[in-house]
Amino acid sequence: MSEYLNPSLELRARVALEKHHFRNTHSLGQNFLLSESLLALLLDDAQIAPDDNVLEIGPGAGVMTALLSRRARRVLAVEVDRGLQPVLSDVLEGLGNVTVVYQDVMKADLRALTEAHFSGEPYRVVANLPYYITADILLKLASSDCPPRSIAIMVQKEAAERVMSAPGTKQWCALAAELQYYGQARVLTDVAPEAFDPPPHVMSQFIRIDRWEAPPVESGDPARFRRLIRAAFAMRRKTLANNLKSAFGLTQEQARAVLDAAGVDERVRGEALTLEELNRVSEALGSINL
Ligand code: SAM
């Protein structure tokens, strides 16, 4: 009986989805997590504290959003699908600390959005998003001029392995290097396909990346450093010298001089370099007169 008087969030979401005849859009990766107990565990892992501002990306049917509203100070949810508006209005009804905006997060101006809603205060990100935008959204957040203090996000298991990878391994990539420059990543929980509605065809992992208080390497120009990282991994079969030539328009001599100044072998491939070595190359690039 009490369930009818005070339905669980999962039931509220299921009723709202049914009532508004919502049909999941496969192309938007709409695999929802509706289990309140699972979401509560994920939010424990996300370490959201009562005074936190939280940017939730892709609220879906809003169960996670409602739980966040109980744990955090303010919640700003960004959802691309306007078709979810009636569902979210039902599920989030009366939650005064939640705002939902309908837009594509990839096109959003993060600074404007977070300054408007969090008055310029620090914020954290929580997201269960379609896996095809994992890398793009992580790079957008990590390289933003107003980066979050942490990012707790559901990713495909293989993406988690890439994010956690070490230099010199097959997995080491621009995404890993950029994220490790941003913060410390850890895998928190394995999530099986059956936890989602509908289930995806892949295993998932919930990960959290905590922004470093002080970055692991001191870059004189973070934008140039990121550009160098992307260039270093651009064509994996090419040597770093060749990738430098095409990305920065250097001559062979200039590329050689940069690598020499950085103390890096000119025949090395970018993927073999540590963050520290990549940063030395970036600093050397900054110091030569091109
Ligand atoms: N967080 C909800 C949950 O756990 O049930 C929904 C997860 S579902 C995997 C992904 C959600 O992200 C969907 O609601 C989808 O419409 C939304 N989404 C997809 N692409 C988006 C984008 N570019 N910007 C904002 N939201 C997006």
Side-chain angles (χ1 to χ4, degrees):
M1 186 68 182
S2 68
E3 210 177 58
Y4 294 102
L5 297 175
N6 186 15
S8 70
L9 286 169
E10 173 169 356
L11 187 60
R12 279 178 78 153
R14 288 193 186 279
V15 168
L17 288 165
E18 193 65 35
K19 178 175 139 195
H20 299 291
H21 309 291
F22 183 78
R23 292 287 162 264
N24 298 49
T25 306
H26 182 67
S27 61
L28 289 176
Q30 289 178 335
N31 305 92
F32 294 154
L33 286 174
L34 301 174
S35 157
E36 214 172 305
S37 52
L38 171 66
L39 287 166
L41 287 176
L42 297 183
L43 288 186
D44 288 346
D45 282 341
Q47 296 194 341
I48 301 300
D51 61 347
D52 280 333
N53 296 307
V54 179
L55 168 63
E56 187 196 4
I57 311 177
V63 179
M64 169 97 92
T65 323
L67 289 174
L68 276 169
S69 129
R70 294 178 189 163
R71 293 190 185 215
R73 181 151 158 243
R74 285 182 288 210
V75 183
L76 168 64
V78 180
E79 172 56 61
V80 75
D81 186 0
R82 278 195 177 270
L84 282 163
Q85 197 161 7
V87 174
L88 285 167
S89 299
D90 282 5
V91 175
L92 304 176
E93 192 187 344
L95 303 181
N97 62 346
V98 177
T99 307
V100 185
V101 297
Y102 292 90
Q103 73 177 108
D104 179 344
V105 72
M106 291 313 299
K107 297 189 184 138
D109 177 340
L110 267 187
R111 174 171 285 285
L113 204 60
T114 55
E115 276 184 356
H117 289 83
F118 304 141
S119 329
E121 290 170 14
Y123 68 99
R124 297 183 190 277
V125 165
V126 175
N128 172 27
L129 277 172
Y131 296 156
Y132 58 80
I133 61 168
T134 300
D136 290 342
I137 189 64
L138 284 173
L139 290 176
K140 175 166 178 152
L141 293 166
S143 63
S144 154
D145 62 355
C146 57
R149 293 174 65 193
S150 63
I151 307 168
I153 185 169
M154 189 72 75
V155 299
Q156 191 172 334
K157 194 164 182 220
E158 289 70 21
E161 283 163 7
R162 282 200 293 139
V163 169
M164 305 297 299
S165 65
T169 63
K170 217 172 80 198
Q171 313 269 46
W172 181 238
C173 55
L175 177 68
E178 281 209 46
L179 290 177
Q180 291 176 27
Y181 175 51
Y182 160 81
Q184 181 170 28
R186 56 196 106 212
V187 174
L188 305 166
T189 320
D190 286 322
V191 185
E194 305 77 63
F196 298 82
D197 191 352
H201 298 293
V202 294
M203 276 298 294
S204 304
Q205 287 188 322
F206 195 57
I207 65 169
R208 194 181 77 232
I209 313 173
D210 294 312
R211 188 175 176 223
W212 301 113
E213 298 269 330
V217 293
E218 204 50 65
S219 167
D221 183 344
R224 184 187 59 228
F225 184 33
R226 290 197 187 92
R227 197 172 147 213
L228 181 268
I229 290 175
R230 289 178 202 197
F233 292 92
M235 277 178 264
R236 296 182 80 100
R237 281 158 188 268
K238 283 193 176 182
T239 60
L240 180 58
N242 279 333
N243 274 328
L244 280 184
K245 277 161 55 185
S246 29
F248 292 88
L250 305 188
T251 62
Q252 181 71 29
E253 288 63 44
Q254 286 171 322
R256 212 174 267 161
V258 166
L259 295 180
D260 196 44
V264 166
D265 188 319
E266 66 173 274
R267 287 156 305 171
V268 80
R269 291 185 207 283
E271 67 212 56
L273 297 187
T274 62
L275 214 52
E276 159 71 32
E277 290 166 322
L278 287 163
N279 189 42
R280 288 212 308 266
V281 177
S282 167
E283 295 303 290
L285 262 172
S287 66
I288 67 162
N289 243 345
L290 295 177

